[in-house]
Amino acid sequence: LRIWQICESYPPQYGGGAGVAAKDISEALAAAGHDVRVLTTESRDGADYAVRADSNGDVHIDRVNLRYLVDRDPDGWSLGTRAWVRHERRIARVVEGCLGQWRPDIVQYHTTRPFGEAAPLLIARHGIPVVAMLHEAWFVCPRLMLLRSPMSEPCAGPGPVKCLECMYSHYDGSHLRAALKLSWRVPRLGIYPAYRLLRRRSARRALTAAIGYSRFMVEVHRPHLRGVVYVPIGINLEGLPAIVPERPRTPLRFGFFAGFQPNKGIWHVLDAAAALKREGLEFELHIWGPAGPADAQEITRRGLEGCALVHGMFSAQEMWDVYCRIDVAVMATTVPEPLGRIPLEARAVGAPAIVPAIGGLRESVRDDVDGLRYRFRDGDDLERQMRRILVEPGLFARLSGELLPVLDTRTRGAALEQAYRAIIAGEPAAAAA
């Protein structure tokens, strides 16, 4: 098969489960003998929209230079209608140029915000099947993560009224407060959000099918997209150590892997850790990910010096070593998570996880069986579950003893190929087998 993978970054920047999955999928399919090409974005010196050819092993890569969108505004929400329409035309020319050189049998459209709606619409007009990979809810949610504005409530899917309210508000905290701000937001934003909503609706209709690797994402999208199928892909287990450390250590080590990113809930974790420390409980909190000088002050302010340790970024080659250094992984995301790779990566090396009970995380962690869940956005309940791990006799041993094996993405190429062939043949339902 000639398979075109269109994704936002390749290889991915730090974190970013969508980018990691796109890379793993592309490499697995290329290793199976398929002709795999990637169209992606980058930011470099030079002309915008210039395309630079590259390769990564057997995968051919075309990189489109989009400095502003990559560096500052991936969704293009600050551009306005005229600038976005011009951008769409230039993206269409880039896509046409690539199709003039090579015609794929199928296109896997990963979340690619800088390309917007123009790319899948144009490809569909060429009669090429376009398949959405449901890393996030981009096709049904302009906010991307199914978190509805203005109340920050989980959303079940698109609707004309609620999507317009969502796009003309900004998590104001109440419908009244959002309504009061419409008098200046509507003139400032103009028709641009409404235009993008219409374009997104057209892009949904252009899809031939969609593949979700969590049941949560499949159920969210099934009422709105054609041919939605469930194909679990797991994670890349390359380099997984044959021997994992004895756990739990003394003191027990919690691990948090999202740094101080705004939507990852580090403040809930730090507040819970501070409360547990005041109770005299002994533990360590190891934090990996983006962090700055001001973030260290938050640790000091909570009295967590020597207890909360910030390690910064780690490379893909260091991943398993990092996971082997912790006993329990903690997630505290404040948005609905499509799947959540962290519990799977921790499970692969024998560490249970504590996660919010939202989205695909309810599939990754079986509550009180092989991990613990807490109420979404409830810092007190997170504190309760962290305390249980520290004080409840036998709980850690019971959870770690029930961990299930993890699928390896490198072995899932055949399942994806089967899905692709069924979709090309016009039988997306058969892909679910």
Side-chain angles (χ1 to χ4, degrees), residues 18-172:
V20 173
K23 178 177 180 293
D24 292 342
I25 288 168
S26 299
E27 291 178 352
L29 292 166
H34 299 290
D35 184 2
V36 179
R37 298 195 179 193
V38 170
L39 179 64
T40 189
T41 68
E42 68 174 351
S43 175
R44 68 177 190 274
D45 292 336
D48 282 338
Y49 302 94
V51 179
R52 178 174 67 91
D54 193 4
S55 64
N56 187 349
D58 294 328
V59 178
H60 175 91
I61 308 165
D62 290 308
R63 304 184 186 277
V64 186
N65 192 29
L66 297 172
R67 291 171 294 176
Y68 169 77
L69 291 168
V70 171
D71 295 337
R72 297 174 56 189
D73 183 18
D75 290 289
W77 289 120
S78 298
L79 290 178
T81 308
R82 290 184 179 179
W84 184 256
V85 169
R86 288 195 297 269
H87 169 69
E88 287 186 306
R89 291 170 180 161
R90 299 192 71 174
I91 288 296
R93 288 198 289 271
V94 168
V95 173
E96 287 279 15
C98 292
L99 290 175
Q101 300 172 15
W102 181 76
R103 183 181 175 88
D105 298 310
I106 193 166
V107 173
Q108 181 75 77
Y109 199 85
H110 303 269
T111 301
T112 315
R113 295 171 295 168
F115 288 167
E117 298 82 12
L121 285 167
L122 176 64
I123 295 165
R125 285 198 289 270
H126 278 264
I128 302 168
V130 183
V131 184
M133 181 61 84
L134 305 179
H135 305 289
E136 289 97 7
W138 185 86
F139 276 96
V140 299
C141 178
R143 293 284 187 186
L144 192 65
M145 297 303 292
L146 292 169
L147 194 68
R148 185 177 173 184
S149 178
M151 298 294 290
S152 296
E153 300 167 330
C155 182
V161 175
K162 67 178 181 179
C163 285
L164 282 170
E165 181 189 38
C166 194
M167 295 312 299
Y168 283 94
S169 62
H170 193 65
Y171 299 107
D172 302 295

Side-chain angles (χ1 to χ4, degrees), residues 185-206:
R185 276 188 177 145
V186 170
R188 181 171 64 86
L189 298 174
I191 65 168
Y192 183 46
Y195 170 77
R196 291 292 300 276
L197 286 174
L198 289 172
R199 293 288 284 174
R200 195 68 54 91
R201 184 181 180 187
S202 298
R204 289 199 294 272
R205 293 175 173 175

Side-chain angles (χ1 to χ4, degrees), residues 380-401:
D380 292 337
D381 203 36
L382 169 60
E383 176 190 323
R384 177 182 69 87
Q385 295 291 46
M386 292 174 69
R387 182 184 294 105
R388 286 185 63 198
I389 284 283
L390 294 171
V391 305
E392 194 170 311
L395 177 59
F396 180 90
R398 176 166 61 82
L399 298 178
S400 58

Side-chain angles (χ1 to χ4, degrees), residues 70-412:
V70 171
D71 295 337
R72 297 174 56 189
D73 183 18
D75 290 289
W77 289 120
S78 298
L79 290 178
T81 308
R82 290 184 179 179
W84 184 256
V85 169
R86 288 195 297 269
H87 169 69
E88 287 186 306
R89 291 170 180 161
R90 299 192 71 174
I91 288 296
R93 288 198 289 271
V94 168
V95 173
E96 287 279 15
C98 292
L99 290 175
Q101 300 172 15
W102 181 76
R103 183 181 175 88
D105 298 310
I106 193 166
V107 173
Q108 181 75 77
Y109 199 85
H110 303 269
T111 301
T112 315
R113 295 171 295 168
F115 288 167
E117 298 82 12
L121 285 167
L122 176 64
I123 295 165
R125 285 198 289 270
H126 278 264
I128 302 168
V130 183
V131 184
M133 181 61 84
L134 305 179
H135 305 289
E136 289 97 7
W138 185 86
F139 276 96
V140 299
C141 178
R143 293 284 187 186
L144 192 65
M145 297 303 292
L146 292 169
L147 194 68
R148 185 177 173 184
S149 178
M151 298 294 290
S152 296
E153 300 167 330
C155 182
V161 175
K162 67 178 181 179
C163 285
L164 282 170
E165 181 189 38
C166 194
M167 295 312 299
Y168 283 94
S169 62
H170 193 65
Y171 299 107
D172 302 295
S174 74
H175 296 284
L176 176 60
R177 192 175 292 118
L180 292 174
K181 295 181 179 181
L182 283 178
S183 60
W184 59 267
R185 276 188 177 145
V186 170
R188 181 171 64 86
L189 298 174
I191 65 168
Y192 183 46
Y195 170 77
R196 291 292 300 276
L197 286 174
L198 289 172
R199 293 288 284 174
R200 195 68 54 91
R201 184 181 180 187
S202 298
R204 289 199 294 272
R205 293 175 173 175
L207 294 175
T208 308
I211 294 174
Y213 47 84
S214 75
R215 291 183 176 87
F216 164 70
M217 293 297 278
V218 167
E219 294 308 315
V220 166
H221 286 81
R222 191 160 273 158
H224 311 289
L225 303 182
R226 292 180 294 169
V228 182
V229 297
Y230 172 58
V231 182
I233 62 172
I235 60 174
N236 191 332
L237 299 180
E238 183 179 7
L240 185 70
I243 300 175
V244 298
E246 292 290 331
R247 295 185 173 99
R249 301 169 178 86
T250 303
L252 182 138
R253 301 176 183 177
F254 292 108
F256 185 78
F257 297 92
F260 289 78
Q261 298 178 78
N263 292 331
K264 298 302 183 179
I266 181 64
W267 315 118
H268 285 162
V269 179
L270 292 178
D271 289 342
L276 297 175
K277 186 179 181 183
R278 287 194 296 269
E279 294 176 16
L281 297 174
E282 293 188 5
F283 63 93
E284 294 176 356
L285 172 61
H286 293 260
I287 302 169
W288 282 273
D295 299 321
Q297 297 176 9
E298 296 294 333
I299 291 174
T300 302
R301 189 170 66 83
R302 290 170 172 80
L304 290 171
E305 307 96 318
C307 174
L309 308 172
V310 180
H311 302 286
M313 315 284 258
F314 62 87
S315 68
Q317 293 73 28
E318 298 171 310
M319 184 180 74
W320 297 125
D321 176 65
V322 167
Y323 275 98
C324 283
R325 292 165 61 183
I326 61 105
D327 300 317
V328 178
V330 178
M331 282 190 75
T333 178
T334 59
V335 297
E337 195 75 28
L339 174 67
R341 297 175 61 88
I342 287 171
L344 301 181
E345 291 165 349
R347 187 204 305 172
V349 294
I354 301 174
V355 303
I358 190 72
L361 291 169
R362 290 173 291 193
E363 301 167 40
S364 303
V365 172
R366 297 174 294 165
D367 189 34
D368 216 29
V369 176
D370 59 4
L372 299 174
R373 300 184 202 147
Y374 68 93
R375 290 186 295 274
F376 180 54
R377 289 191 164 196
D378 189 332
D380 292 337
D381 203 36
L382 169 60
E383 176 190 323
R384 177 182 69 87
Q385 295 291 46
M386 292 174 69
R387 182 184 294 105
R388 286 185 63 198
I389 284 283
L390 294 171
V391 305
E392 194 170 311
L395 177 59
F396 180 90
R398 176 166 61 82
L399 298 178
S400 58
E402 293 293 331
L403 294 170
L404 297 173
V406 180
L407 284 174
D408 190 339
T409 305
R410 296 173 298 171
T411 69
R412 301 301 292 159

